[in-house]
Amino acid sequence: DAIETGVHSKDLASVKYLNFHNNSISKVERLNLLPMLRTLVLSFNELHDMGAISNLRHLERLELGHNLIRRIEGLENLPSLRHLELNNNLLYKPDDMNVLRKQVPNLISLRIHNNSKTLCENKIFRGTILRRLEYLQLLDGEEVTKADREAAGENNSTLNHGMLMKHSCASWESHSLSVLGPVVHGSDLSPRRTTAMGNKLNSNATV
């Protein structure tokens, strides 16, 4: 299940392209024997992590789509990497975008769609990626436009009325119900009780 080279290291020193697409691979080892590797294809396998992919200084394209990877890690010392595919995995932490910014900041193409709902259904996730990767030109196969960049910047710096209402209404309703206690029906709303309830609500509300 592992990639382990059984060929003499001298025969591997000049290898630039390696394709192990759909080979049921679960572990990657000894890629340091491929110092000139430029393209590595490991899509449609059973990888749970990125293994020994770091330190391939000439690697330009890395395809890891359709695996079982949960975290973005192990991309250290890949200064030439420009194209990265991580789509159709199990990624779930938005914070992993910080890893991309730190370890492979010069990416121009990234595929990261079809991961967990935490990422793919997060409406601001695309903007987060664009703010982290300033040289990105293609995101999930779509061109990154100037308008995309501007929108990402606005979403990062502006707290507008819509956002305020969206994030405050639900918590305010919950807080109000807990303050008022049990639901009171029409026949129970005497003027005295209504006034008391209003005073209690006002005393608990802060701006």
Side-chain angles (χ1 to χ4, degrees):
D1 287 342
I3 298 178
E4 275 200 70
T5 55
V7 186
H8 197 281
S9 59
K10 290 183 179 179
D11 300 323
L12 299 172
S14 61
V15 173
K16 296 181 180 180
Y17 180 89
L18 194 62
N19 189 339
F20 282 103
H21 172 93
N22 196 20
N23 273 275
S24 300
I25 294 168
S26 60
K27 189 176 182 180
V28 178
E29 296 178 349
R30 302 186 68 186
L31 290 178
N32 60 303
L33 298 177
L34 304 164
M36 301 305 294
L37 192 64
R38 295 181 182 274
T39 298
L40 177 59
V41 180
L42 290 167
S43 51
F44 288 90
N45 281 291
E46 300 171 7
L47 295 172
H48 288 78
D49 57 58
M50 298 183 182
I53 295 174
S54 61
N55 298 311
L56 295 173
R57 300 192 61 81
H58 295 280
L59 190 67
E60 298 175 356
R61 176 178 291 275
L62 176 59
E63 299 184 13
L64 293 168
H66 296 269
N67 276 283
L68 302 170
I69 298 170
R70 296 179 59 84
R71 298 298 306 273
I72 298 176
E73 54 192 356
L75 296 176
E76 297 90 350
N77 297 319
L78 300 176
S80 301
L81 192 66
R82 297 295 183 269
H83 307 272
L84 176 61
E85 296 187 6
L86 290 168
N87 54 288
N88 297 86
N89 275 284
L90 303 174
L91 300 174
Y92 67 98
K93 289 186 72 66
D95 289 347
D96 281 354
M97 295 306 100
N98 293 325
V99 177
L100 293 181
R101 177 172 63 177
K102 181 179 180 180
Q103 298 181 357
V104 286
N106 296 319
L107 286 179
I108 62 173
S109 175
L110 173 66
R111 286 185 176 272
I112 200 167
H113 59 281
N114 292 341
N115 276 279
S116 70
K117 291 183 177 180
T118 306
L119 293 186
C120 297
E121 294 187 4
N122 188 327
K123 294 181 179 180
I124 65 173
F125 183 58
R126 181 180 175 87
T128 300
I129 295 174
L130 296 183
R131 291 192 296 275
R132 299 295 186 274
L133 301 171
E134 60 179 305
Y135 301 109
L136 203 65
Q137 299 174 15
L138 288 173
L139 177 56
D140 290 331
E142 296 183 4
E143 181 182 0
V144 176
T145 66
K146 182 179 179 181
D148 292 331
R149 291 282 180 191
E150 292 175 349
E154 290 174 359
N155 288 339
N156 185 47
S157 60
T158 304
L159 179 62
N160 58 38
H161 178 73
M163 293 172 61
L164 183 62
M165 292 301 294
K166 177 181 178 181
H167 292 285
S168 64
C169 287
S171 59
W172 169 247
E173 289 172 2
S174 176
H175 175 70
S176 299
L177 288 175
S178 65
V179 169
L180 293 176
V183 175
V184 181
H185 298 284
S187 59
D188 298 323
L189 289 175
S190 64
R192 180 178 297 177
R193 184 169 187 181
T194 303
T195 301
M197 290 166 60
N199 291 337
K200 187 175 183 181
L201 178 59
N202 289 331
S203 67
N204 283 274
T206 58
V207 178

